[in-house]
Amino acid sequence: MQPNAHDSTKDTRRVDLLNKAGELLAMRPTASLADIATYAGISKATLHRYFANRDDLMLALGYRALELVARAFADAEIETGSVIDALTRVSETLVPLGDKLHLLWNESLYALHPDFAAAEQATQEPMLRLIKRGQANSELRDDLSAEWLMQLIDYALFAVWVSVYEGYAARRDAARMLLTTLLDGIASRS
Amino acid sequence: MQPNAHDSTKDTRRVDLLNKAGELLAMRPTASLADIATYAGISKATLHRYFANRDDLMLALGYRALELVARAFADAEIETGSVIDALTRVSETLVPLGDKLHLLWNESLYALHPDFAAAEQATQEPMLRLIKRGQANSELRDDLSAEWLMQLIDYALFAVWVSVYEGYAARRDAARMLLTTLLDGIASRS
DNA sequence: CTATATTGAGACAATTATATCTCATTTGCA
DNA sequence: TGCAAATGAGATATAATTGTCTCAATATAG
């Protein structure tokens, strides 16, 4: 190992554990800590050394998910240029991350930590701005509220992840499918 | 009370309890049976007399939700006529029922009862047929799988219910909002 | 009005998951 | 190799919830 990986070893391990926990919780949302430890290939004791308690683990999963979303927005440079292109780039990034984000839809993390709802809203703010920009420059419909459009995009993203997860949609086709349906709707153009 | 309400009194009570339980579980998905009983204004003991255990209650909620969906499909007469009109009628019916359906998205009831997944799929079958009919008669896009379109409609319905529930969308405008966005998409038509 | 059924309140046991702790073993690093 | 840190296995304590039960109070039907 690298000499400087010393500090980051524990962090890496933590991330690995978050990934494993997320995987199992996607399959069985009520899995116990013992289940999670076993699934991750470690003992309960060690899991507790990384996450003091269950809430700690769930919140870590939640905040990690928010960070991934925030980074996706940042990397996609959504502040300028075509809004639809930006939405495409964001989708391409987020769809494959669904297995690390699903708890944002399934778990009510604000019940564990009062600040979480605010953090989630703050994370989504760039997306809301993007949508409003799209409405202002006529790329997106402006006869509907930006909040509703964001909500729909949000759940459509979840829907496409579920479709991939359950095997009804191809992983590599998912983002395209999502975008074309979301942008142009399900009705035929006549 | 009506003389003939004799038999149905318990059933009515059961339905009332399901409604109350659904309400509370929408707010706090992890509410205990004691919480539910208190919220419904009855004692734990009485709740246990109507539902033997927690799984029993959850499954009752689940199957009741499926029945409501099935009835919505039946009442909307979706087998013939315009597919888009049929989708409109179904949406008008289902959107206000969101508070009785939400656990279909949030809870993994198939874990409690192996048959539930099959029952859910059977319930959705008329909708799948409707979509396929729409694809066949060119009302709906046929360049995407019917399964994906159904999945998206499903989660879009959930999204609009959440929007209403959280106060971001008007209850009486929700179905229209859902339909126009779903059918025509979020992009501007130029 | 009276008998019967239903309910409420709460005690109680059983179950389950969580969280802490100990100690032997293993691992990684100097 | 040898030492320090990390881990595994499991015992144990704690907490929360579930499910059962009793009995008095209430409601309902005849």
Side-chain angles (χ1 to χ4, degrees):
Chain A
M1 311 208 169
Q2 303 89 346
N4 209 358
H6 204 74
D7 282 348
S8 60
T9 298
K10 277 193 107 153
D11 286 354
T12 301
R13 187 75 183 280
R14 241 181 101 95
V15 172
D16 289 346
L17 290 179
L18 288 179
N19 288 340
K20 284 292 186 184
E23 262 179 51
L24 181 59
L25 288 171
M27 293 187 282
R28 305 205 341 249
T30 62
S32 72
L33 293 178
D35 294 337
I36 293 171
T38 302
Y39 185 80
I42 63 173
S43 68
K44 288 178 287 184
T46 303
L47 182 61
H48 274 288
R49 288 185 185 106
Y50 282 89
F51 303 98
N53 50 46
R54 191 188 181 90
D55 289 0
D56 212 47
L57 171 61
M58 298 308 285
L59 276 177
L61 281 165
Y63 280 108
R64 201 266 303 245
L66 291 187
E67 279 168 32
L68 290 172
V69 172
R71 193 175 316 150
F73 291 161
D75 291 352
E77 301 182 18
I78 64 179
E79 306 293 339
T80 57
S82 158
V83 168
I84 288 181
D85 288 353
L87 280 175
T88 306
R89 289 194 297 274
V90 168
S91 297
E92 300 275 3
T93 308
L94 288 185
V95 169
L97 291 179
D99 61 330
K100 297 179 179 62
L101 308 180
H102 65 90
L103 83 162
L104 292 178
W105 291 283
N106 286 322
E107 223 69 32
S108 39
L109 295 170
Y110 54 86
L112 302 182
H113 193 48
D115 296 347
F116 192 83
E120 189 169 13
Q121 193 164 357
T123 303
Q124 289 181 321
E125 213 266 319
M127 172 61 90
L128 192 60
R129 276 216 309 280
L130 177 67
I131 292 170
K132 286 179 174 167
R133 189 162 69 80
Q135 291 180 310
N137 76 3
S138 297
E139 284 187 85
L140 300 183
R141 293 171 63 171
D142 63 354
D143 60 331
L144 296 162
S145 76
E147 286 76 14
W148 159 242
L149 295 187
M150 184 166 75
Q151 182 86 318
L152 181 68
I153 293 172
D154 196 17
Y155 280 89
L157 179 66
F158 187 45
V160 81
W161 175 70
V162 172
S163 289
V164 172
Y165 188 79
E166 294 183 348
Y168 291 107
R171 190 166 42 82
R172 308 188 72 137
D173 190 41
R176 180 201 65 83
M177 211 170 71
L178 171 65
L179 256 294
T180 182
T181 326
L182 209 46
L183 291 173
D184 295 334
I186 69 174
S188 287
R189 301 243 169 162
S190 51
Chain B
M1 310 205 170
Q2 302 87 349
N4 208 358
H6 202 75
D7 280 352
S8 60
T9 297
K10 277 193 105 152
D11 285 355
T12 302
R13 187 76 184 277
R14 241 181 103 96
V15 171
D16 289 346
L17 290 180
L18 288 178
N19 288 340
K20 284 292 185 184
E23 264 179 48
L24 181 59
L25 289 171
M27 292 187 283
R28 301 200 292 117
T30 62
S32 71
L33 293 179
D35 294 336
I36 293 171
T38 302
Y39 184 80
I42 63 173
S43 68
K44 288 179 288 186
T46 303
L47 182 61
H48 274 289
R49 288 184 186 107
Y50 282 89
F51 303 98
N53 51 45
R54 190 188 182 88
D55 289 359
D56 211 46
L57 171 62
M58 300 306 287
L59 276 178
L61 280 165
Y63 279 108
R64 201 267 302 245
L66 292 187
E67 280 168 30
L68 290 173
V69 173
R71 193 174 318 151
F73 291 161
D75 291 352
E77 300 182 18
I78 65 179
E79 305 294 339
T80 57
S82 158
V83 167
I84 287 181
D85 287 352
L87 281 176
T88 305
R89 289 194 297 274
V90 168
S91 296
E92 300 275 4
T93 307
L94 287 185
V95 169
L97 291 180
D99 60 330
K100 298 179 179 61
L101 308 181
H102 65 90
L103 84 162
L104 292 177
W105 292 284
N106 286 322
E107 224 67 33
S108 39
L109 294 171
Y110 54 86
L112 303 183
H113 193 48
D115 296 347
F116 192 84
E120 189 169 13
Q121 194 164 356
T123 302
Q124 290 182 320
E125 214 265 318
M127 172 62 90
L128 193 59
R129 276 215 311 278
L130 176 68
I131 293 169
K132 285 179 174 166
R133 188 161 70 80
Q135 291 180 310
N137 75 4
S138 296
E139 285 187 84
L140 301 182
R141 294 172 61 171
D142 64 353
D143 61 330
L144 296 161
S145 76
E147 285 77 13
W148 158 242
L149 294 187
M150 184 166 74
Q151 182 87 317
L152 182 67
I153 292 172
D154 196 19
Y155 280 89
L157 179 65
F158 187 46
V160 82
W161 175 71
V162 171
S163 289
V164 172
Y165 187 79
E166 294 183 348
Y168 290 108
R171 189 167 42 82
R172 308 188 70 137
D173 191 42
R176 180 201 66 84
M177 212 171 73
L178 172 65
L179 256 293
T180 181
T181 325
L182 209 46
L183 290 173
D184 294 334
I186 70 174
S188 286
R189 302 241 168 162
S190 52

